[in-house]
Amino acid sequence: MNVLHMRLKTPDDLDKLRDDIRQKQEKDKSFLAVCGGTGCSSSGSEKVREVFQQYLNRHNLKKKTTLKFTGCLGLCERGPVVIIFPQGIFYQKVQESDVEEIIEKTFLKGEIIERLLYQDPVNGEKFIYADDIPFLKKQKRILLGNNWLMEPTSIEDYISLGGYQSVVKALTKMTPPEVIAEIKKARLRGRGGAGFPSGIKWQECYDAVSKQKYFICNADEGDPGAFMDRSLLEGNPHSVLEGLIIGGYATGASEGIIYVRSEYPTAVKNVKTAIAQAENLGLLGENILGTGFHFKISVSTGAGAFVSGETTALVAAVEGRLGEPRQKPPHLVERGLWGKPTVINNVETLANVPYIISYGAENFLRLGTEKSGGTKIFSLVGKVNNTGLVEVPLGMTLREIIFDIGGGIKNGKKFKAVQTGGPSGGCLPVSLLDSPTDFEKLNSAGSMMGSGGMIVMDEETCMVDIARYFLRFLEDESCGRCFSCREGISRMLEIVEDITRGKGSVEQLELLKELANVVKDSSLCGLGQTAANPVLATIRYFEDEYFAHILEKRCPAGVCRDLIRFSINEELCQGCDLCLKKCPGEAIRGEKRQPHTILGDKCTKCGICLETCKYNAVVKI
Amino acid sequence: MINLTLNGMEIKVEKRTTLLEAAKFYGIEIPALCYDEALSPYGACRLCLVEIGTGNHSRLVSSCTYPARDGLIVRTHTERVIKARKLLLELYLATCPSSRTIQDMASKHGVTTVRFKQKNEECILCGLCVRMCAEQMQGKAIGFVNRGIKRRITAPFAKKSEECRLCGGCMYICPACQARCQGPQEENPVCNACLNLSPPCLDYFQEAMCYMDPCVACELGTGRKAKFTY
C-alpha cells in the first residue's frame, strides 16, 4: 500500500489509514533515531546515519529495525545524538566509528556502552534512558516531543502519532466561532515576539467581511542564536500545516502562505514535501475530507531579514515589494495581503493549535500561567553547559531553565546575566533569576519574551560590549526607512563604541539614555521601538560597568580591547619562546630562557599569548 | 464624518483624513520633512509626531500617516512630543547641516546645540524625490537600495536611468538640496541666525499653549525667557 497515492474522502478514511499504518509499525517497534536537526547535522549526524544504513544493509538487519533521521531532539550540545527504541537508550556524541558497536552490543544484545552515555556536567552522574536525563525530564515537550519519534518527511509517521486528528475534530465537530472560542479560552499568545492573543486576532479576521482572506505563517526567524521555528519546520512540518488548516477554517481564509527565509533550505524542502503529501491525501486542497472546506497552502521564500518579522513588512515581502513596515492602522485584518483581511501567526503559535484542539483548552492552560497557557520553546545558547532547544511550561523560573535544564554555566564560571527576547530584548541580572518566564514579568523587567532566544552570559562577558553587539546587528537589520530608527541606532552605537574605547563621558551616557528613550518612543515599527532595549536594560542593571569604562577607563570583564593590556610576569616566565613564536604581531621580545616582555605599541591584544603560556605568566590587566 | 479630540477641541473631519491634515485644517502647525500635500504620506522623518491616547496608554505616532479615527484623543504639542522632536532635529543637524530647511526648523524649535558627532550627509532619505518622480512625474527613475545604515537613493544599477527626463522635480522637492544654508561655520554646526521662537509657556504647562508664529508673548518679551534644557 502506498500511502502517498490514495485520497482520503471522509474522516473515517483517515482513521482507517491510521489503523493500517499502526498495524504495520507494530511489527517493528524497535527503531533507531538519529537526530538530523541543525545542531547534530553540523556535528556530523548525516555521516553517522549513512554508516548506520550501510551497516544495517550489509548485515541484513533491515527487517529487524528501521532507521529514522529525525528532527531536532533539543540537546544540540551533545550531538550527534542517537536514541535506540523501544527502550529509549540515549547516546551522545556518536561518531561513525561507534556505529558497529552500538548495533552489535546495544541493539542486538542490550548491553550499554558506558562512554556514550550522557553525563551530568555538574555531578558527573551518568544516565542511560532519555527520559531520565534532567535536561529532558524537566521539560514539557508538547511541540518538540514527537520530533524523535518520526521522520519529518514521513506523513505515515505523523498520522500514526495521531496527526491530523485535530483537523478532523475542528472541521467536523466544531464551528469556526467554537474553534476561536477554544483558542481564546486557552489564552494562546503569539510566540513570535509581541505576544498578542491569537484568539482575538482570529476573531477580528473572522468578523472582517471579505470574499478572500489570507492566513500567513511567519517563519522568517531572525534573532541571532535562535532556531525554534527552524527546528519545528524542519522536524515536524505537518504540525504547522495542521495549525494553518485549523486557523484557515476558523478565520474563513481559503489560502495559507508560509513565509520562510531562504537561509533555511531544509525547512523549505521539508515543508514543501509535507504540503505535497497532504495534498495527495486530500488533507489539503478542495473539499478536505469531504467536509466542504477548501484550503490550500503555498510557500513563499525571501532573503531573511530581521525586519520582515514585523507583520506589515512581511506582507510587503510576500507581495514582492521591499520588506518595509508601514504604519498601523489600517491593521492587517482590515488591509493585509493584496488588500484583503490577513492573519499572521508565528510557526510556534500555529504548532500549538493542534494540541489545543485535540486536548482542550483546559489542559493547555494548566501548563502555563494564569494569563497565558501552554509551553514556550527557548533556544538556550551562550555560556551554558547544555545548549539546545528547551520547551518548558510558561512561568518556569529562569534559574530552573538555566541551571536545572541547562546544567549551569560552562567551566564552573559565575552566572552574570541572561539575555532574553533576542536583539530587542534585554539582559537580566542574577537578582532576577527567580522570576518566572512569562510575558508580563519579562516585560516589566525591561526585557521581553520575544521569539524565545535565551543567551546566557558568564562573568567574562562585558555588558557594554553586549549592547554594542546588538546595536551593530540592529544597525544592519533596520530597514532604514524611518530616521529615528536608522540614525538613532547608529548614533547610539557611536556613543557605545566610544565608551568601549574608553572615550566616553558621563554626559554622553546621559545623552545615550535620552536618545534611547526617544528612539523607543518615536520609531515607526516594533524594530525601532525595541531597538533601545539592549542599551536601556544594560544601563538599568549594569550601570556600574558603564561607569567603570567611562570614569576608570577599565573593562571589568576584560573584553574591550582598547581598555585591556597584556603583560608578562617576569617571575613566572621561563623564557620558553612559545608565546614569542605564536604572536602574530611580533610584539613579544626576549632571549631564550630569559623573561620576555610584550611591546605595548605592537600588541594587537589578540590574547594568543595568554592561551599559549603554560606557566600562567601572561596576565590580562 | 469622524469626531475626535485635537488638543482639547472637539473636531469633525472627513473620512480618510490624516491627523496631520486635520491639524493643519485647524491651524495647528506640525513640522515635517518628508511630507508634501501632493504626494502620498511616508512617515519617515518622524518630525510630525503627535501623542495619541491618554495616561499610560498614550503613544507617539507620525501624524502624516495616522488616519483620524472616532474618539481619538490627539495632542500635538505635549512635552513628550516636543522632547522627541527636538532630539530628532538635533540628530538632523548633526547629520545634514547644510540644509537650510533643517537649520530653519531647528531654530524655530529652539535647538541650539548639537551633542552628536558631526557628519555631513547630503541626503536624509526622506523619500520625497522618489515619490515625486513616481507619483507626479510618472518617472520611477529612482528608488531606494539596501537597508539600514547602507540605505541610499539611486537610479537602477547606479546608472543614468532611461526613465529620467531630467525634469528636476526631485531637486525641486528636496529639503536638503533646494536651499543650501551658508550659515554654519565649520567649527559650529548650528546656525541659529534666525532663532526667534522661545515660548515661555513650556516651562509652566509642559505643553505649548499657543501656535502663533512667532509667539506673541515672546515677541513682546512679557514671558520669562525659556531655557531649553530638555
Side-chain angles (χ1 to χ4, degrees), chain A residues 541-615:
Chain A
Y541 295 113
F542 301 95
E543 201 170 20
D544 48 333
E545 273 192 49
Y546 278 85
F547 281 125
H549 282 78
I550 293 168
L551 300 176
E552 302 163 35
K553 310 288 175 210
R554 183 174 65 86
C555 176
V559 174
C560 299
R561 275 195 184 185
D562 291 297
L563 301 181
I564 53 168
R565 195 160 60 80
F566 288 90
S567 99
I568 295 175
N569 185 339
E570 295 194 358
E571 283 172 20
L572 293 173
C573 180
Q574 306 289 316
C576 69
D577 263 5
L578 210 59
C579 59
L580 191 144
K581 281 176 197 150
K582 286 266 171 96
C583 179
E586 298 181 352
I588 299 177
R589 292 287 150 82
E591 294 295 315
K592 211 163 170 85
R593 277 181 274 285
Q594 295 293 320
H596 288 16
T597 49
I598 297 179
L599 306 176
D601 52 338
K602 281 199 168 178
C603 175
T604 56
K605 296 169 187 172
C606 63
I608 290 179
C609 50
L610 183 76
E611 286 160 24
T612 337
C613 185
K614 292 175 187 163
Y615 308 102

Side-chain angles (χ1 to χ4, degrees), chain A residues 75 77-78 90 92-93 114-129 132-138 384-386 400 402-409 411:
Chain A
L75 196 47
E77 174 78 24
R78 307 300 176 105
F90 185 96
Q92 54 151 20
K93 296 190 176 170
E114 278 278 320
R115 79 187 135 84
L116 293 175
L117 291 179
Y118 172 87
Q119 194 172 12
D120 193 282
V122 182
N123 56 24
E125 198 182 338
K126 283 191 173 176
F127 297 92
I128 299 173
Y129 302 107
D132 297 339
I133 295 173
F135 176 84
L136 295 166
K137 203 175 174 182
K138 276 244 169 183
V384 64
N385 272 318
N386 295 332
E400 280 175 278
I402 296 166
F403 288 92
D404 297 350
I405 297 175
I409 309 301
N411 303 327

Side-chain angles (χ1 to χ4, degrees), chain A residues 192-194 222-224 226 305-310 418-428 442-443 445-455 457 466-467 469-475 477-478 485 489 492 516 519-520 525-538:
Chain A
D223 297 14
F306 187 62
V307 72
S308 291
E310 183 71 27
V418 56
Q419 216 270 356
T420 66
S424 313
C427 300
L428 305 176
L442 285 177
N443 272 350
S447 183
M448 60 192 244
M449 180 72 86
S451 62
M454 195 176 265
I455 305 172
M457 298 158 192
I466 288 295
Y469 169 80
F470 283 115
L471 284 175
R472 190 170 276 177
F473 174 82
L474 290 166
E475 187 190 36
E477 292 291 338
S478 152
C485 173
I489 293 173
M492 283 196 282
V519 170
K520 191 176 180 177
C525 78
L527 192 150
Q529 283 159 10
T530 54
N533 277 355
V535 172
L536 289 172
T538 47

Side-chain angles (χ1 to χ4, degrees), chain A residues 17 24 28 48 50 136 148 162 182 212 296 335 368 380 395 401 470 482 490 545 555:
Chain A
L17 174 67
K24 215 176 100 196
D28 41 38
V48 171
E50 264 173 45
L136 295 166
W148 57 19
E182 197 71 14
Q212 175 76 50
K296 61 174 181 178
R335 211 174 73 210
L380 191 61
I401 298 177
F470 283 115
C482 76
S490 114
E545 273 192 49
C555 176

Side-chain angles (χ1 to χ4, degrees), chain A residues 32-54:
Chain A
L32 293 159
V34 179
C35 177
T38 312
C40 287
S41 292
S42 59
S43 44
S45 70
E46 252 167 89
K47 267 265 159 27
V48 171
R49 179 192 71 147
E50 264 173 45
V51 178
F52 261 119
Q53 193 68 59
Q54 283 163 7

Side-chain angles (χ1 to χ4, degrees), chain A residues 110-366:
Chain A
E111 291 168 24
I112 304 297
I113 306 167
E114 278 278 320
R115 79 187 135 84
L116 293 175
L117 291 179
Y118 172 87
Q119 194 172 12
D120 193 282
V122 182
N123 56 24
E125 198 182 338
K126 283 191 173 176
F127 297 92
I128 299 173
Y129 302 107
D131 294 337
D132 297 339
I133 295 173
F135 176 84
L136 295 166
K137 203 175 174 182
K138 276 244 169 183
Q139 296 185 40
K140 183 78 194 152
R141 294 156 67 91
I142 63 170
L143 305 178
L144 293 171
N146 278 349
N147 265 14
W148 57 19
L149 302 175
M150 55 179 275
E151 285 235 11
T153 48
S154 158
I155 195 168
E156 292 98 322
D157 280 0
Y158 186 69
I159 288 176
S160 85
L161 289 166
Y164 288 102
Q165 240 163 1
S166 63
V167 166
V168 173
K169 186 174 172 191
L171 261 50
T172 56
K173 299 202 180 93
M174 297 166 93
T175 60
E178 278 171 3
V179 175
I180 293 172
E182 197 71 14
I183 300 293
K184 275 188 186 166
K185 208 166 124 197
R187 302 209 182 106
L188 174 65
R189 295 181 59 171
R191 304 290 198 242
F196 192 81
S198 303
I200 295 177
K201 218 187 239 184
W202 289 21
Q203 181 74 55
E204 281 171 358
C205 187
Y206 175 76
D207 292 339
V209 185
S210 171
K211 273 183 191 163
Q212 175 76 50
K213 294 177 189 174
Y214 293 101
F215 205 112
I216 300 180
C217 167
N218 177 359
D220 192 23
E221 184 179 44
D223 297 14
F227 54 109
M228 298 79 53
D229 297 349
R230 176 182 198 159
S231 294
L232 275 174
L233 274 186
E234 284 179 0
N236 199 349
H238 284 289
S239 68
V240 181
L241 297 190
E242 217 182 327
L244 254 179
I245 298 170
I246 296 169
Y249 174 69
T251 55
S254 59
E255 212 182 316
I257 292 151
I258 302 178
Y259 182 78
V260 204
R261 46 171 53 208
S262 307
E263 284 90 334
Y264 288 180
T266 317
V268 175
K269 201 180 84 196
N270 287 2
V271 165
K272 282 187 174 164
T273 315
I275 291 173
Q277 287 169 340
E279 274 172 356
N280 274 335
L281 279 179
L283 293 164
L284 264 180
E286 299 285 309
N287 196 6
I288 294 172
L289 296 175
T291 55
F293 173 62
H294 316 298
F295 194 69
K296 61 174 181 178
I297 298 179
S298 55
V299 176
S300 170
T301 55
F306 187 62
V307 72
S308 291
E310 183 71 27
T311 50
T312 50
L314 192 139
V315 165
V318 173
E319 286 177 357
R321 291 184 286 124
L322 207 60
E324 249 176 37
R326 62 159 171 83
Q327 169 105 51
K328 286 188 281 189
H331 290 280
L332 290 179
V333 286
E334 300 160 57
R335 211 174 73 210
L337 186 65
W338 313 115
K340 303 287 185 236
T342 304
V343 178
I344 298 189
N345 272 163
N346 168 265
V347 172
E348 196 185 330
T349 319
L350 286 174
N352 272 304
V353 171
Y355 182 90
I356 297 172
I357 299 299
S358 293
Y359 298 95
E362 285 88 6
N363 282 318
F364 186 77
L365 205 51
R366 210 168 289 144

